[in-house]
Amino acid sequence: MLTIGLTGGIASGKSLVAHYFSRYGIGCVDADQVARDVVMPGQPLLAKIAEHFGDAVLESDGSLNRRELRHLIFASPEQRQWLEAHMHPVIRERIFAQLDTLGGPYRLMMVPLLLESEHYAAHVDRILVVDVDEETQLARVTARDGGSKHQAEAIVAAQMPRSERLARADDIIDNSADQQHLLQQVTDLHHAYCALAHEEQR
């Protein structure tokens, strides 16, 4: 099935774009949601993380203490590498399994770091980038997360440069205007993707 890789910088509006596609019955696997699901209480990966880092990474209800885990891995590149080596294969396996359950003329795979990871980029037919300018990103990040502009700038700076992301896109959605403009772009792309999917099936 035609698979569209949906990506974009932080606070670009990827989830809203996916929601608009869902109005047309298009399914989407969200990598961020999968990453949360695989460390829920009762999941083998959470037990492995707790065994490695100790009970300090668990809340009183048995859920993952994300703040403590972030603190531990930022303090140690080796610990961060251990965590990524154990989490990423589980996340990828779950993403691809969920993709296989989706019907429709095409499907979306929403991965913030799609372009940074060949594991994902190699499994999509087209790359759709949701784009906003950096000032809009910074304003949205600070409003959403309540942090400082300096923190927001550090997050944006750590991501792939906007120019490189746009250069690698097959399709671009401009999310700097109102929602009506956004919805129209989704509608146009939906028709284009349906036509592409029809061509592939011939």
Side-chain angles (χ1 to χ4, degrees), residues 1-2 103-107 193-202:
M1 187 191 297
L2 182 69
Y106 64 94
R107 59 196 180 182
Y193 292 154
C194 284
L196 274 175
H198 181 70
E199 282 297 314
E200 283 197 356
Q201 291 168 1
R202 289 177 64 179

Side-chain angles (χ1 to χ4, degrees), residues 29-39 90-91 94-95 98:
V29 176
D30 179 354
D32 281 348
Q33 183 59 52
V34 171
R36 289 189 289 269
D37 291 343
V38 298
V39 290
V90 176
I91 292 169
R94 184 78 63 93
I95 286 172
Q98 288 187 14

Side-chain angles (χ1 to χ4, degrees), residues 57-105:
V57 298
L58 295 178
E59 301 281 9
S60 57
D61 63 358
S63 63
L64 182 64
N65 183 331
R66 296 175 185 280
R67 184 186 299 269
E68 179 62 24
L69 183 61
R70 269 197 303 270
H71 172 73
L72 290 171
I73 64 172
F74 277 122
S76 168
E78 292 81 11
Q79 296 287 27
R80 183 176 55 111
Q81 288 168 4
W82 182 95
L83 184 67
E84 290 176 350
H86 286 80
M87 281 194 72
H88 288 182
V90 176
I91 292 169
R92 285 197 298 271
E93 182 180 355
R94 184 78 63 93
I95 286 172
F96 295 136
Q98 288 187 14
L99 270 179
D100 288 340
T101 69
L102 299 181

Side-chain angles (χ1 to χ4, degrees), residues 98-156:
Q98 288 187 14
L99 270 179
D100 288 340
T101 69
L102 299 181
Y106 64 94
R107 59 196 180 182
L108 300 175
M109 182 170 71
M110 182 164 61
V111 184
L113 299 179
L114 176 75
L115 296 172
E116 288 88 339
S117 172
E118 287 304 315
H119 290 293
Y120 296 115
H123 287 82
V124 301
D125 299 292
R126 293 185 73 80
I127 294 169
L128 170 58
V129 169
V130 184
D131 180 57
V132 292
D133 62 79
E134 192 170 300
E135 282 305 310
T136 302
Q137 270 186 293
L138 294 174
R140 289 177 180 175
V141 170
T142 51
R144 185 187 70 186
D145 299 341
S148 67
K149 185 176 181 181
H150 178 71
Q151 288 174 316
E153 287 172 339
I155 294 170
V156 171

Side-chain angles (χ1 to χ4, degrees), residues 4-21 108 110-112 114-115 127-133 137 140 159 162 165-166 169-176 182 185-186 189 193:
I4 309 300
L6 174 59
T7 192
I10 187 171
S12 57
K14 297 180 291 294
S15 296
L16 182 58
V17 167
H19 170 70
Y20 282 159
F21 274 107
L108 300 175
M110 182 164 61
V111 184
L114 176 75
L115 296 172
I127 294 169
L128 170 58
V129 169
V130 184
D131 180 57
V132 292
D133 62 79
Q137 270 186 293
R140 289 177 180 175
Q159 297 191 326
R162 180 188 180 201
R165 196 161 47 233
L166 292 174
D170 295 300
D171 306 295
I172 298 168
I173 283 182
D174 171 22
N175 189 20
S176 60
L182 181 64
Q185 293 175 85
V186 170
L189 278 173
Y193 292 154

